[in-house]
């Protein structure tokens, strides 16, 4: 699904990604771990086509992101830190607008289905500026899912969510996994990562430092491995 | 598809404005204030003051328009909604086109209210047979100003002091346009007998519009590229 070869990303004088090599198969759910400033979010932004690689190639479903960006964007859903929704619009208006630019057929139906799914039915026509962080994240999830992406990129999606919002998010991810979607999740939440992901990549200093799998739900082993790689000085590959 | 997507973005911006009235309110108040201050500063009854009207029209268009341009992209930086547009499967140029269209309509609304207000306060009368020519100059001047302004607003919105950077970038670039439209407006309002000179100015402005709009259309994607 995703092939990254020698990905380098420079912003100004700073080199954020230093030759990332990565191959992710269709249907995999991959947790991307690493300390702050390691380059995890930048990697996600390059895959989401917000940023362009300085060097190296990135292909999604066999197509180069530099050459086929517009077509590939239809396949990718991105949930970053920011909600990427309009404050003065209601969930309905936000989803209607984003659905229209993703050219979704039967948009009304899809919008009401998503609003139901993220548990915001009672707030369908309320402006989102009055929403709590958890409610905002729910509408952000719906926005990222509006076009039923085959590749979902999540940047610390569990941060600041209440328990019910976490359950909704996990349920959405589980449903996408059943549909054979590929999911990449940057996270610092080892519990959630161990529960959801079936493969882990640790980024350190802009390089892939480790790539492994652990038994489902085993957050302790995951954390040990992370500590060993990030704090123990294991070299990047 | 490009036009359809641009219309969706323009509709979204205009709907936002309809709901919040944040930008158009500021644009209108500012433009009216300019007119009011000038009407107190100059005696509208004096004949030579009438010669200032073409210049005043473009002063209020430029300053009112600047407020709208600033908001167009700064508002998109809240919640990073500009990224939501950048990751959508639409041509980047459609975002530029949509923003241009929304800004153009907003500025036209301001002009529609502020210019008659200016004429009223200055008790200004001109040969109405040249009204069509005057409207044409307004339309092409506003279009050129918005085309350049939207591109530069997208650029300046990526800096920390967007509202300060935009005028610094915009004024030198729109100078030829402003000279052309002011001269053409002056001919149509004050001395319509020099029609050929006005046509030359309109040709200059037309060429400027085509070049600057094409530049914006082609360069917008690179401006958004990080």
């Amino acid at each position: 699904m995703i092939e990254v070869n020698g990905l380098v990303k420079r912003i100004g004088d700073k080199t954020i990604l230093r030759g990332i090599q990565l191959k992710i198969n269709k249907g995999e759910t991959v947790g991307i771990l690493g300390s702050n400033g390691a380059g995890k979010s930048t990697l996600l932004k390059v895959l989401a086509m917000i940023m362009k690689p300085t060097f190296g190639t990135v292909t999604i479903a066999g197509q180069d992101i530099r050459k086929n960006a517009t077509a590939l964007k239809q396949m990718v859903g991105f949930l970053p830190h920011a909600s990427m929704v309009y404050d003065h619009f209601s969930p309905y208006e936000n989803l209607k607008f984003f659905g229209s630019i993703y050219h979704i057929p039967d948009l009304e139906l899809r919008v009401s289905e998503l609003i139901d799914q993220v548990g915001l039915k009672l707030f369908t026509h309320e402006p989102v500026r009055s929403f709590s962080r958890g409610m905002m994240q729910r509408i952000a999830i719906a926005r990222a899912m509006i076009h039923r992406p085959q590749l979902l990129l999540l940047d610390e999606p569990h941060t600041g969510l209440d328990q019910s919002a976490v359950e909704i998010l996990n349920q959405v991810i589980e449903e996408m996994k059943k549909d054979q979607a590929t999911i990449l999740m940057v996270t610092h939440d080892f519990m959630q990562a161990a529960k959801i992901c079936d493969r882990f990549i640790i980024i350190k200093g802009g390089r892939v430092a480790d790539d492994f799998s652990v038994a489902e739900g085993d957050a302790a082993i995951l954390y040990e491995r992370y500590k060993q790689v990030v704090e123990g000085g294991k070299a990047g590959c | 598809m490009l036009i359809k997507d641009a219309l969706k973005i323009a509709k979204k911006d205009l709907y936002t404005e309809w709901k919040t009235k944040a930008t158009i309110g500021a644009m209108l108040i500012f433009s009216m204030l300019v007119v009011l201050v000038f009407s107190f500063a100059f005696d509208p009854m004096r004949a030579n003051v009438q010669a200032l009207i073409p210049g005043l029209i473009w002063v209020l268009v430029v300053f009112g328009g600047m407020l709208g341009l600033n908001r167009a992209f700064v508002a998109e930086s809240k919640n990073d909604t500009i990224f939501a547009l950048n990751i959508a499967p639409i041509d980047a140029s459609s975002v530029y086109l949509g923003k241009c269209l929304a800004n153009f309509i907003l500025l036209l609304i301001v002009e529609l209210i502020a210019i008659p207000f200016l004429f009223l306060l200055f008790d200004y009368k001109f040969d109405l047979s040249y009204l069509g020519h005057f409207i044409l100059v307004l339309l092409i001047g506003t279009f050129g100003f918005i085309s350049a302004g939207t591109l530069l607003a997208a650029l300046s919105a990526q800096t920390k002091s967007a509202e300060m950077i935009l005028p610094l970038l915009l004024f030198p670039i729109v100078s030829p346009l402003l000279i052309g439209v002011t001269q053409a407006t002056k001919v149509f309002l004050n001395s319509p007998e020099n029609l050929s000179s006005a046509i030359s100015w309109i040709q200059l402005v037309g060429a400027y519009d085509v070049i600057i709009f094409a530049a914006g259309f082609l360069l917008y994607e690179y401006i958004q590229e990080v």
Side-chain angles (χ1 to χ4, degrees):
Chain A
M1 183 68 178
I2 303 173
E3 267 197 68
V4 180
N5 286 309
L7 173 63
V8 173
K9 179 64 193 173
R10 280 197 199 122
I11 299 176
D13 297 336
K14 205 173 168 190
T15 306
I16 314 283
L17 302 176
R18 301 162 187 266
I20 298 265
Q21 294 289 136
L22 199 58
K23 193 173 175 184
I24 292 165
N25 299 316
K26 186 172 166 56
E28 274 189 306
T29 302
V30 180
I32 301 176
L33 312 172
S35 55
N36 293 330
K40 311 177 297 294
S41 296
T42 305
L43 173 62
L44 235 53
K45 282 179 182 168
V46 172
L47 294 174
M49 290 164 271
I50 287 177
M51 287 182 171
K52 299 212 169 161
T54 308
F55 299 113
T57 57
V58 179
T59 60
I60 296 174
Q63 300 184 69
D64 193 321
I65 61 163
R66 285 180 200 263
K67 291 174 189 158
N68 300 300
T70 308
L72 286 173
K73 283 173 181 175
Q74 190 72 45
M75 296 170 60
V76 180
F78 181 41
L79 182 65
H81 290 288
S83 61
M84 301 209 302
V85 294
Y86 293 99
D87 263 359
H88 39 269
F89 282 4
S90 64
Y92 174 81
E93 289 163 338
N94 267 299
L95 295 179
K96 195 89 191 290
F97 170 67
F98 287 113
S100 75
I101 60 172
Y102 277 89
H103 314 111
I104 307 295
D106 296 326
L107 187 53
E108 289 285 341
L109 192 70
R110 179 68 180 147
V111 168
S112 69
E113 183 185 290
L114 274 171
I115 289 175
D116 269 358
Q117 201 177 352
V118 297
L120 288 175
K121 199 172 183 181
L122 287 174
F123 305 94
T124 304
H125 298 290
E126 296 287 320
V128 301
R129 65 170 174 265
S130 59
F131 283 12
S132 66
R133 156 83 189 151
M135 288 163 80
M136 203 73 140
Q137 186 73 344
R138 290 181 198 207
I139 184 67
I141 294 165
R143 183 205 50 75
M145 302 284 301
I146 187 98
H147 56 300
R148 296 187 175 89
Q150 294 166 47
L151 169 62
L152 185 61
L153 307 167
L154 308 166
D155 196 354
E156 297 183 38
H158 296 96
T159 309
L161 295 189
D162 60 31
Q163 199 48 45
S164 67
V166 167
E167 277 167 23
I168 286 170
L169 176 63
N170 289 353
Q171 197 185 332
V172 166
I173 293 172
E174 281 307 320
E175 277 169 25
M176 288 204 64
K177 282 171 80 170
K178 275 183 206 157
D179 292 343
Q180 278 295 295
T182 309
I183 301 166
L184 262 76
M185 181 170 80
V186 165
T187 188
H188 293 289
D189 188 333
F190 291 88
M191 288 283 282
Q192 296 297 341
K195 199 166 139 187
I196 294 166
C197 303
D198 33 56
R199 180 180 159 196
F200 299 92
I201 288 164
I202 298 179
I203 306 275
K204 187 180 175 185
R207 291 187 178 92
V208 174
D210 207 353
D211 187 343
F212 59 98
S213 301
V214 294
E216 195 183 322
D218 206 338
I221 292 182
L222 178 62
Y223 183 61
E224 276 309 309
R225 183 95 176 230
Y226 172 82
K227 258 179 76 174
Q228 191 192 343
V229 174
V230 173
E231 291 165 22
K234 187 173 170 179
C237 50
Chain B
M1 198 59 97
L2 185 133
I3 304 284
K4 268 190 182 173
D5 290 333
L7 288 174
K8 285 172 194 165
I9 287 160
K11 190 178 149 195
K12 184 268 297 171
D13 277 6
L14 293 172
Y15 182 58
T16 300
E17 201 42 49
W18 176 255
K19 287 192 96 172
T20 62
K21 292 167 188 79
T23 309
I24 199 152
M27 287 166 81
L28 264 175
I29 289 170
F30 194 79
S31 301
M32 302 291 225
L33 212 60
V34 169
V35 175
L36 206 65
V37 167
F38 278 117
S39 78
F40 284 119
F42 304 110
D43 179 2
M45 293 303 131
R46 287 175 63 176
N48 57 356
V49 171
Q50 305 287 312
L52 295 173
I53 298 292
L56 289 183
I57 289 171
W58 289 102
V59 166
L60 70 90
V61 169
V62 167
F63 286 102
M66 190 74 74
L67 290 175
L69 289 170
N70 257 324
R71 289 280 308 157
F73 285 94
V74 171
E76 294 282 2
S77 60
K78 193 170 185 200
N79 294 347
D80 284 349
T81 48
I82 190 69
F83 290 146
L85 298 179
N86 292 347
I87 63 168
I90 53 174
D91 199 310
S93 309
S94 63
V95 178
Y96 171 76
L97 199 59
K99 291 275 175 194
C100 269
L101 188 61
N103 288 333
F104 183 68
I105 292 170
L106 285 181
L107 191 52
L108 281 186
I109 294 170
V110 172
E111 289 170 6
L112 200 67
I113 298 168
I115 294 173
F117 183 63
L118 172 80
F119 288 165
L120 192 75
L121 282 191
F122 279 82
D123 192 26
Y124 186 76
K125 290 176 186 71
F126 66 99
D127 186 349
L128 281 179
S129 57
Y130 289 96
L131 181 65
H133 297 79
F134 171 57
I135 290 173
L136 174 74
V137 176
L138 261 186
L139 288 176
I140 60 169
T142 306
F143 178 74
F145 178 73
I146 290 297
S147 300
T150 303
L151 179 69
L152 295 174
L155 185 68
S156 66
Q158 296 183 17
T159 66
K160 280 179 186 165
S161 1
E163 286 171 13
M164 198 183 73
I165 301 276
L166 179 62
L168 291 178
L169 295 173
L170 186 59
F171 284 136
I173 288 182
V174 295
S175 295
L177 172 90
L178 292 177
I179 293 168
V181 288
T182 309
Q183 292 294 341
T185 311
K186 193 168 83 181
V187 171
F188 290 133
L189 295 187
N190 294 343
S191 46
E193 62 280 3
N194 299 328
L195 202 61
S196 62
S197 136
I199 288 169
S200 305
W201 286 116
I202 285 179
Q203 283 170 340
L204 170 84
V205 173
Y208 177 96
D209 282 11
V210 171
I211 293 167
I212 212 81
F213 180 72
F217 196 77
L218 297 172
L219 293 176
Y220 178 81
E221 188 179 357
Y222 297 97
I223 283 177
Q224 288 299 323
E225 187 178 316
V226 184

